[in-house]
Amino acid sequence: MTDFPKNAEEARADRDVTREELTETLDALGKKMDVKARVNDNLDAKVDQASAKISDKVSEPAAEKFRQGTEIVRANPVPIFAGVLALLVAIRLILRKRSSS
């Protein structure tokens, strides 16, 4: 623990250092708490990796179509997610009906 400042100038300097440290800490916490931004960054990285792998495996026109599709999903994720969720629910209902018959 530091000593108590001896004069006003030391107190001001100590205050400024403390403010700077608190600002840095709050910025770091804010970045950790921004889950949406972290998820989007992670998603962007994964899509870029997948795009690069697909470009290596398929023809250039097919790779371009994949890139266009990923941009559409990035721009409108909610309808895509809703569609996938509806598809999963439908599959589950079909499988449940088949297993009970």
Side-chain angles (χ1 to χ4, degrees):
M1 192 164 174
T2 60
D3 294 329
F4 193 77
K6 295 181 176 128
N7 59 36
E9 190 59 37
E10 285 182 12
R12 285 186 198 101
D14 187 45
R15 177 198 63 198
D16 292 342
V17 168
T18 302
R19 280 185 182 167
E20 192 172 313
E21 290 172 352
L22 282 173
T23 300
E24 290 173 5
T25 302
L26 289 174
D27 286 344
L29 284 173
K31 287 178 183 175
K32 283 188 176 187
M33 297 297 288
D34 192 1
V35 175
K36 185 177 179 180
R38 290 175 53 202
V39 167
N40 285 338
D41 291 344
N42 192 12
L43 179 64
D44 288 344
K46 296 291 183 188
V47 167
D48 290 341
Q49 287 175 354
S51 207
K53 286 182 182 179
I54 286 175
S55 294
D56 292 342
K57 303 289 183 193
V58 298
S59 66
E60 186 55 38
E64 183 59 32
K65 291 285 185 184
F66 179 78
R67 283 194 283 280
Q68 290 173 352
T70 58
E71 291 304 318
I72 291 170
V73 171
R74 284 180 184 173
N76 303 307
V78 174
I80 303 297
F81 177 74
V84 170
L85 183 62
L87 180 64
L88 291 174
V89 169
I91 290 171
R92 182 176 172 140
L93 290 175
I94 291 169
L95 291 176
R96 183 181 286 174
K97 189 169 187 168
R98 282 187 180 176
S99 67
S100 66
S101 297

